[in-house]
Amino acid sequence: MRTVPGRTDRVVVVGAGLAGLATALRLRGAGREVTVVERGDGPGGRAGVVTRDGYVLDTGPSVFTAPELVADTLAAVGERLEDRLTLVPLDTTYRAQFADGSHLDVHADVDRFAAEVEALAGPAEAAALRRYLADLAELYRLQLTTFIDRNLDTPLDLLGPELWALARRGGFGRLSSHVARFFDDDRLRRLFSFQALYAGVSPFRAIAAYAVIAQLDIGAGVWHPVGGIGAVPRAMAAAAGDAGVVFRYGATVEQLDVRGGRVTGVCLEGGERLPADAVVVTTDVPEGLVPGFRRRRPTYSPSCVALHLGVRSELPGQAHHTISFGAAWEQVFDELTRTGRPMSDPSLLVSMPSRTDRSLAPDGGQVLSVVAPAPNLDPHSGGNPGIDWDALTPRYREEVLGTLEARGWTGLTDAIEVEHVDTPLTWARQGMAAGTPFALAHTFGQTGPFRTPTLPRRGPENVVLAGSSVQPGVGVPMVVISGRLAAERITGPVR
Ligand SMILES: Cc1cc2nc3c(=O)[nH]c(=O)nc-3n(C[C@H](O)[C@H](O)[C@H](O)COP(=O)(O)OP(=O)(O)OC[C@H]3O[C@@H](n4cnc5c(N)ncnc54)[C@H](O)[C@@H]3O)c2cc1C
């Protein structure tokens, strides 16, 4: 593994999102003097929070998986997760709601899950489920050690028995075909392939290796952090602060001060300069800050329209997380990743965390986040720069709410008290490339050793990258891992 040469005592981390926080905790744990510079007024980045009239709306992630990664990160400074966060394992991971009116409750407990599948689709599918979950766990084990949980400098780093084992298990075939080999029931096929969209690709084009994303949620279960997902970055920042990391909120890094091929400091808007022996950049578009760093034209993930609602209604009978599938399927992925149109028959992720955590809404109320995948703004990535989301959003909002009313969230629209809507234009205005918060898609050419490494080959020798646009990838677990990988580029491997 390549590492930053020379002195690395003082490190500046740009960004206090989950990647920046994970990096800072790791570096501080290894004895570095760490300053985190964040342009926002607190930690979290994309894992943001809006609090209004007693409703706490998480505006970023809603599905929190793999808490052991956060625990491991906190342990780097001698902290225990349970002293900083209360996590509630969700009894029902997801409720999958299908267009034919049926539904399936997914449980992390295999026997309960299999019983649900048997009731929905019969004993053969329940037996297939058990085989599939075992296969998924093994695929994940193989991939964690080869692709995900390590710095990769060249494709040759992959060579080894795990790679051959992955190939033998069909990891490089198509995801949709892989899932179809196990399940006959179309509803189960959808349930085990929609996660490809979390990685920014259609299951009809994704390689089967991406099946492992379902190991993180369906296989291993989902947790709710009490106080909302925003409690996770707050806990990480508090632990980092107590360990001696310095936070500079409301401070924007304007440029890196480069002398003789090395960064010697970061320059903040307003003229202040912070000296640094090494810098970790966790922004969405590192190209904007790191002189000399470039990459081939990336392909970006689809974006989303996210509706965050505080409603004065109990909405009885709804689950914490529901995946509400429309009838259309292949066509939806075409719309999102090829033809650049909003979904004509939407599949939606609806989360109602106040079902589990009453601290998030006033008595008699609920908070809901509705994520509707949408094309991004980059035509090269199958997106559409021509959609005027500012003009379209009121109509699109009505459409999404109408869909939810028709699918069982009866009375939702009239009960809305507070509301926050993000569209691809919101993300673009925050400086995210292609108007997507999901960064570079996990196409084959942007995965593993083909994705930008945490220590780029171009640019100053002491600049390291972390976050969703570099290895290993997108989503909370991946960016937390990227924090460790980035820190190890500075400290060398720590186990
Ligand atoms: C609506 C939505 C739903 C999602 N759902 C899920 C989910 O259910 N599960 C899941 O695992 N993931 C989900 N994600 C993805 C997940 O939130 C992200 O992958 C992750 O939070 C990205 O973290 P990061 O640290 O890489 O980036 P960020 O959180 O964007 O952190 C980068 C930080 O850098 C700061 N910054 C940028 N430029 C500068 C500068 N020049 N100077 C100083 N600071 C700067 C930014 O303000 C920001 O705080 C979702 C995201 C969104 C938006």
Side-chain angles (χ1 to χ4, degrees):
M1 178 183 75
R2 292 177 302 119
T3 53
V4 168
R7 241 181 102 153
T8 59
D9 301 337
R10 291 167 308 176
V11 185
V12 172
V13 176
V14 185
L18 290 162
L21 294 167
T23 312
L25 283 159
R26 297 283 179 182
L27 287 171
R28 186 64 201 138
R32 298 307 190 274
E33 210 179 288
V34 183
T35 303
V36 178
V37 183
E38 165 58 52
R39 67 182 176 190
D41 56 10
R46 269 166 260 200
V49 182
V50 169
T51 305
R52 218 179 285 157
D53 299 342
Y55 294 97
V56 181
L57 310 175
D58 273 313
T59 56
S62 50
V63 180
F64 181 66
T65 56
E68 67 279 5
L69 295 172
V70 175
D72 195 44
T73 307
L74 290 169
V77 293
E79 292 257 6
R80 295 179 336 148
L81 179 133
E82 51 274 33
D83 295 333
R84 292 278 179 185
L85 273 173
T86 305
L87 295 181
V88 182
L90 294 189
D91 183 52
T92 301
T93 304
Y94 293 114
R95 171 162 300 160
Q97 186 191 60
F98 302 103
D100 64 4
S102 61
H103 77 259
L104 172 72
D105 280 353
V106 175
H107 302 288
D109 178 88
V110 179
D111 293 331
R112 284 181 70 200
F113 187 14
E116 292 270 352
V117 168
E118 184 160 346
L120 179 85
E125 293 294 89
L129 174 81
R130 288 179 188 278
R131 285 198 304 278
Y132 190 74
L133 290 176
D135 183 73
L136 213 51
E138 177 58 10
L139 266 183
Y140 183 67
R141 192 193 63 74
L142 289 170
Q143 284 184 56
L144 191 66
T145 46
T146 28
F147 274 101
I148 300 173
D149 197 23
R150 61 188 282 213
N151 278 304
L152 294 164
D153 284 318
T154 98
L156 296 178
D157 290 341
L158 290 181
L159 294 180
E162 284 89 358
L163 186 69
W164 304 124
L166 188 59
R168 267 203 315 278
R169 299 183 89 89
F172 298 104
R174 288 280 155 241
L175 174 61
S176 49
S177 324
H178 178 75
V179 174
R181 269 203 295 283
F182 284 83
F183 299 106
D184 289 328
D185 191 293
D186 183 57
R187 295 167 297 184
L188 294 169
R189 290 179 178 180
R190 290 183 185 204
L191 182 65
F192 282 104
S193 50
F194 81 89
Q195 292 88 349
L197 209 52
Y198 289 167
V201 277
S202 154
F204 299 97
R205 284 195 279 166
I207 57 170
Y210 296 144
V212 292
I213 307 170
Q215 171 61 20
L216 283 170
D217 54 8
I218 293 184
V222 170
W223 278 257
H224 172 77
V226 171
I229 296 220
V232 177
R234 284 197 300 276
M236 291 169 78
D242 288 351
V245 172
V246 174
F247 284 89
R248 296 287 306 269
Y249 292 117
T252 300
V253 174
E254 203 168 48
Q255 62 179 43
L256 306 184
D257 192 1
V258 185
R259 295 177 200 179
R262 256 180 107 83
V263 170
T264 58
V266 304
C267 305
L268 307 186
E269 245 174 45
E272 192 182 351
R273 180 180 180 280
L274 303 177
D277 300 317
V279 174
V280 182
V281 175
T282 73
T283 61
D284 187 64
V285 188
E287 290 86 335
L289 270 185
V290 184
F293 169 65
R294 297 203 204 318
R295 45 189 158 197
R296 267 178 291 132
R297 191 173 181 164
T299 301
Y300 291 97
S301 299
S303 184
C304 69
V305 173
L307 229 62
H308 305 287
L309 309 170
V311 297
R312 180 65 68 175
S313 166
E314 285 291 355
L315 297 171
Q318 299 298 342
H320 187 122
H321 291 300
T322 301
I323 307 156
S324 175
F325 290 100
W329 192 234
E330 197 159 351
Q331 173 198 338
V332 166
F333 293 103
D334 270 351
E335 288 166 344
L336 293 171
T337 62
R338 283 179 194 243
T339 55
R341 292 199 206 109
M343 294 177 293
S344 48
D345 178 17
S347 287
L348 305 166
L349 171 63
V350 186
S351 301
M352 202 158 84
S354 48
R355 166 69 66 231
T356 305
D357 180 356
R358 286 308 311 162
S359 73
L360 301 177
D363 285 348
Q366 298 283 2
V367 291
L368 255 88
S369 80
V370 184
V371 176
N376 66 35
L377 302 177
D378 175 27
H380 171 74
S381 309
N384 185 349
I387 300 179
D388 180 352
W389 282 103
D390 286 339
L392 180 64
T393 297
R395 199 155 33 94
Y396 193 67
R397 168 195 178 276
E398 294 295 304
E399 208 176 297
V400 169
L401 290 174
T403 303
L404 291 173
E405 294 264 359
R407 294 185 188 171
W409 283 268
T410 317
L412 170 66
T413 314
D414 289 341
I416 295 173
E417 286 201 316
V418 302
E419 180 167 350
H420 174 94
V421 184
D422 291 321
T423 73
L425 282 180
T426 319
W427 317 118
R429 286 175 185 137
Q430 288 175 13
M432 289 178 214
T436 175
F438 304 119
L440 275 68
H442 282 265
T443 56
F444 186 72
Q446 295 183 163
T447 297
F450 308 113
R451 200 171 180 90
T452 305
T454 49
L455 183 58
R457 288 185 185 277
R458 294 187 191 182
E461 64 183 16
N462 58 343
V463 173
V464 173
L465 307 178
S468 43
S469 70
V470 301
Q471 292 175 11
V474 182
V476 175
M478 296 303 130
V479 305
V480 170
I481 291 177
S482 86
R484 181 175 69 71
L485 302 185
E488 288 191 359
R489 293 293 195 176
I490 291 171
T491 62
V494 180
R495 272 287 154 195

PDB file of all heavy atoms in Angstrom, residues 312-323:
ATOM      1  N   ARG A 312     -49.329  15.590  11.347  1.00  0.00           N
ATOM      2  CA  ARG A 312     -50.148  15.500  12.555  1.00  0.00           C
ATOM      3  C   ARG A 312     -51.137  14.363  12.343  1.00  0.00           C
ATOM      4  O   ARG A 312     -52.311  14.564  12.080  1.00  0.00           O
ATOM      5  CB  ARG A 312     -50.857  16.854  12.748  1.00  0.00           C
ATOM      6  CG  ARG A 312     -51.736  16.938  13.957  1.00  0.00           C
ATOM      7  CD  ARG A 312     -50.984  16.832  15.256  1.00  0.00           C
ATOM      8  NE  ARG A 312     -50.122  18.000  15.523  1.00  0.00           N
ATOM      9  CZ  ARG A 312     -49.446  18.175  16.646  1.00  0.00           C
ATOM     10  NH1 ARG A 312     -49.510  17.285  17.623  1.00  0.00           N
ATOM     11  NH2 ARG A 312     -48.682  19.238  16.805  1.00  0.00           N
ATOM     12  N   SER A 313     -50.624  13.156  12.369  1.00  0.00           N
ATOM     13  CA  SER A 313     -51.471  11.970  12.194  1.00  0.00           C
ATOM     14  C   SER A 313     -50.660  10.770  12.653  1.00  0.00           C
ATOM     15  O   SER A 313     -49.429  10.765  12.525  1.00  0.00           O
ATOM     16  CB  SER A 313     -51.847  11.809  10.716  1.00  0.00           C
ATOM     17  OG  SER A 313     -52.381  10.524  10.504  1.00  0.00           O
ATOM     18  N   GLU A 314     -51.322   9.766  13.182  1.00  0.00           N
ATOM     19  CA  GLU A 314     -50.595   8.576  13.651  1.00  0.00           C
ATOM     20  C   GLU A 314     -50.231   7.648  12.498  1.00  0.00           C
ATOM     21  O   GLU A 314     -49.344   6.814  12.612  1.00  0.00           O
ATOM     22  CB  GLU A 314     -51.443   7.807  14.675  1.00  0.00           C
ATOM     23  CG  GLU A 314     -51.501   8.468  16.045  1.00  0.00           C
ATOM     24  CD  GLU A 314     -50.156   8.408  16.788  1.00  0.00           C
ATOM     25  OE1 GLU A 314     -49.204   7.785  16.292  1.00  0.00           O
ATOM     26  OE2 GLU A 314     -50.069   9.009  17.863  1.00  0.00           O
ATOM     27  N   LEU A 315     -50.917   7.763  11.369  1.00  0.00           N
ATOM     28  CA  LEU A 315     -50.713   6.866  10.216  1.00  0.00           C
ATOM     29  C   LEU A 315     -50.574   5.418  10.694  1.00  0.00           C
ATOM     30  O   LEU A 315     -49.513   4.781  10.516  1.00  0.00           O
ATOM     31  CB  LEU A 315     -49.484   7.288   9.421  1.00  0.00           C
ATOM     32  CG  LEU A 315     -49.579   8.682   8.789  1.00  0.00           C
ATOM     33  CD1 LEU A 315     -48.244   9.103   8.214  1.00  0.00           C
ATOM     34  CD2 LEU A 315     -50.653   8.721   7.704  1.00  0.00           C
ATOM     35  N   PRO A 316     -51.602   4.886  11.307  1.00  0.00           N
ATOM     36  CA  PRO A 316     -51.489   3.558  11.916  1.00  0.00           C
ATOM     37  C   PRO A 316     -51.209   2.473  10.880  1.00  0.00           C
ATOM     38  O   PRO A 316     -51.563   2.611   9.705  1.00  0.00           O
ATOM     39  CB  PRO A 316     -52.874   3.342  12.557  1.00  0.00           C
ATOM     40  CG  PRO A 316     -53.787   4.285  11.864  1.00  0.00           C
ATOM     41  CD  PRO A 316     -52.960   5.444  11.392  1.00  0.00           C
ATOM     42  N   GLY A 317     -50.541   1.440  11.358  1.00  0.00           N
ATOM     43  CA  GLY A 317     -50.322   0.273  10.496  1.00  0.00           C
ATOM     44  C   GLY A 317     -49.108   0.373   9.586  1.00  0.00           C
ATOM     45  O   GLY A 317     -48.795  -0.571   8.862  1.00  0.00           O
ATOM     46  N   GLN A 318     -48.421   1.517   9.602  1.00  0.00           N
ATOM     47  CA  GLN A 318     -47.260   1.634   8.714  1.00  0.00           C
ATOM     48  C   GLN A 318     -45.975   1.197   9.429  1.00  0.00           C
ATOM     49  O   GLN A 318     -45.853   1.354  10.642  1.00  0.00           O
ATOM     50  CB  GLN A 318     -47.105   3.080   8.220  1.00  0.00           C
ATOM     51  CG  GLN A 318     -48.295   3.583   7.422  1.00  0.00           C
ATOM     52  CD  GLN A 318     -48.534   2.776   6.155  1.00  0.00           C
ATOM     53  OE1 GLN A 318     -47.646   2.056   5.692  1.00  0.00           O
ATOM     54  NE2 GLN A 318     -49.726   2.870   5.602  1.00  0.00           N
ATOM     55  N   ALA A 319     -45.028   0.695   8.654  1.00  0.00           N
ATOM     56  CA  ALA A 319     -43.772   0.189   9.224  1.00  0.00           C
ATOM     57  C   ALA A 319     -42.737   1.311   9.325  1.00  0.00           C
ATOM     58  O   ALA A 319     -42.935   2.400   8.787  1.00  0.00           O
ATOM     59  CB  ALA A 319     -43.245  -0.932   8.342  1.00  0.00           C
ATOM     60  N   HIS A 320     -41.608   1.018   9.980  1.00  0.00           N
ATOM     61  CA  HIS A 320     -40.521   1.999  10.074  1.00  0.00           C
ATOM     62  C   HIS A 320     -39.974   2.294   8.663  1.00  0.00           C
ATOM     63  O   HIS A 320     -39.844   3.445   8.270  1.00  0.00           O
ATOM     64  CB  HIS A 320     -39.432   1.441  11.001  1.00  0.00           C
ATOM     65  CG  HIS A 320     -38.330   2.400  11.310  1.00  0.00           C
ATOM     66  ND1 HIS A 320     -37.999   2.780  12.585  1.00  0.00           N
ATOM     67  CD2 HIS A 320     -37.462   3.057  10.514  1.00  0.00           C
ATOM     68  CE1 HIS A 320     -36.976   3.629  12.550  1.00  0.00           C
ATOM     69  NE2 HIS A 320     -36.636   3.811  11.297  1.00  0.00           N
ATOM     70  N   HIS A 321     -39.652   1.232   7.930  1.00  0.00           N
ATOM     71  CA  HIS A 321     -39.190   1.411   6.534  1.00  0.00           C
ATOM     72  C   HIS A 321     -40.090   0.608   5.609  1.00  0.00           C
ATOM     73  O   HIS A 321     -40.278  -0.600   5.829  1.00  0.00           O
ATOM     74  CB  HIS A 321     -37.780   0.851   6.328  1.00  0.00           C
ATOM     75  CG  HIS A 321     -36.698   1.611   7.029  1.00  0.00           C
ATOM     76  ND1 HIS A 321     -36.432   2.937   6.795  1.00  0.00           N
ATOM     77  CD2 HIS A 321     -35.797   1.209   7.953  1.00  0.00           C
ATOM     78  CE1 HIS A 321     -35.421   3.321   7.547  1.00  0.00           C
ATOM     79  NE2 HIS A 321     -35.015   2.295   8.263  1.00  0.00           N
ATOM     80  N   THR A 322     -40.605   1.246   4.588  1.00  0.00           N
ATOM     81  CA  THR A 322     -41.386   0.520   3.580  1.00  0.00           C
ATOM     82  C   THR A 322     -40.761   0.756   2.216  1.00  0.00           C
ATOM     83  O   THR A 322     -40.444   1.902   1.862  1.00  0.00           O
ATOM     84  CB  THR A 322     -42.845   1.037   3.538  1.00  0.00           C
ATOM     85  OG1 THR A 322     -43.419   0.855   4.824  1.00  0.00           O
ATOM     86  CG2 THR A 322     -43.671   0.292   2.501  1.00  0.00           C
ATOM     87  N   ILE A 323     -40.574  -0.323   1.488  1.00  0.00           N
ATOM     88  CA  ILE A 323     -40.225  -0.158   0.075  1.00  0.00           C
ATOM     89  C   ILE A 323     -41.515  -0.397  -0.673  1.00  0.00           C
ATOM     90  O   ILE A 323     -42.065  -1.501  -0.665  1.00  0.00           O
ATOM     91  CB  ILE A 323     -39.183  -1.174  -0.397  1.00  0.00           C
ATOM     92  CG1 ILE A 323     -37.986  -1.122   0.527  1.00  0.00           C
ATOM     93  CG2 ILE A 323     -38.734  -0.877  -1.817  1.00  0.00           C
ATOM     94  CD1 ILE A 323     -37.232  -2.411   0.503  1.00  0.00           C
TER      95      ILE A 323
END
